[in-house]
Amino acid sequence: MLNLLLGRSGSGKTTAMLRRIGESGGVRPQVLVVPEQHSHDMERRLCAIGGNQVSRYAEVLSVTRMAGRVFTVTGGLAAPTLDAGGRLLLMYAALQAVAGELKVYGRPSRKPEFLSGLIATVDELKSCCVTPKHLWTAGEEADGPEGDKLLDLSLIYGAYEALTARRAADPRDRVTRLAEGLEKSGWAKGMD
């Protein structure tokens, strides 16, 4: 069942939620998912409201920590993850791999600014759940230079995805991998 706590800032939504967790009495394990920067403060507030025994059945996790827990069950915890420099190099390799098929980006630039722009574009596409296939379809439907640009971006994005699947994980895919791991592992089964 989904319960929504609605109210203005400072109206007591967080306190009410922490009380409910504390009052659950451990009937079911409780997990509170919070942003990374709030995890320590929220743990302290949960213990202050629910008492020290609340730690036996409830925990506060950030998405990163929850991913670590799920990946220990499903595997993938030790998968190498790209840093900013690795992402630039992999984007350059992806661009070179499809350079012969590109119309708009036919002469790929080696400049980090251009590659960073492509990475930012891929990040934005991923955050909106746009796949290379979606771009390809849109490119075929659009006419002229706009269509050619979408087709080129689809090829570059697809090549980048293929390289990250083979070599190292893109850190922007962590939430996607977490969702797949949660579904596959049943880690959260029986938890609130």
Side-chain angles (χ1 to χ4, degrees):
M1 177 169 56
L2 175 66
N3 292 312
L4 299 177
L5 294 175
L6 303 174
R8 293 182 175 193
S9 177
S11 65
K13 299 179 301 291
T14 303
T15 304
M17 178 183 53
L18 294 174
R19 260 196 206 107
R20 284 186 189 179
I21 291 172
E23 292 168 358
S24 71
V27 174
R28 291 168 49 114
Q30 307 284 310
V31 176
L32 177 60
V33 182
V34 298
E36 194 82 40
Q37 65 271 21
H38 298 292
S39 61
H40 180 68
D41 180 51
M42 200 58 65
E43 277 181 321
R44 291 175 55 112
R45 289 182 65 188
L46 178 62
C47 286
I49 290 172
N52 291 337
Q53 74 280 1
V54 76
S55 298
R56 285 190 252 153
Y57 57 87
E59 64 182 324
V60 176
L61 296 176
S62 65
V63 172
T64 303
R65 289 188 66 197
M66 185 167 53
R69 297 272 176 86
V70 172
F71 295 157
T72 57
V73 174
T74 63
L77 187 61
T81 304
L82 294 169
D83 62 0
R87 293 182 80 207
L88 279 175
L89 291 173
L90 219 55
M91 180 56 78
Y92 179 71
L95 198 55
Q96 291 300 315
V98 295
E101 303 172 50
L102 302 177
K103 296 176 184 173
V104 176
Y105 301 111
R107 290 183 31 211
S109 174
R110 291 182 168 200
K111 294 184 179 179
E113 297 83 20
F114 176 71
L115 297 172
S116 294
L118 284 175
I119 289 171
T121 301
V122 166
D123 288 348
E124 186 71 23
L125 291 168
K126 285 182 180 186
S127 71
C128 296
C129 298
V130 176
T131 65
K133 187 176 180 179
H134 291 130
L135 280 179
W136 187 265
T137 303
E140 287 179 328
E141 292 173 1
D143 291 330
E146 292 85 10
D148 290 341
K149 188 173 184 177
L150 288 172
L151 292 172
D152 281 7
L153 285 173
S154 171
L155 290 170
I156 295 166
Y157 182 13
Y160 180 77
E161 289 287 287
L163 287 172
T164 57
R166 278 187 291 171
R167 298 213 172 125
D170 188 326
R172 302 300 187 264
D173 294 332
R174 172 172 276 166
V175 174
T176 304
R177 289 178 34 229
L178 172 59
E180 291 167 356
L182 280 168
E183 197 172 312
K184 183 171 60 172
S185 70
W187 176 82
K189 194 172 191 165
M191 293 182 184
D192 289 337

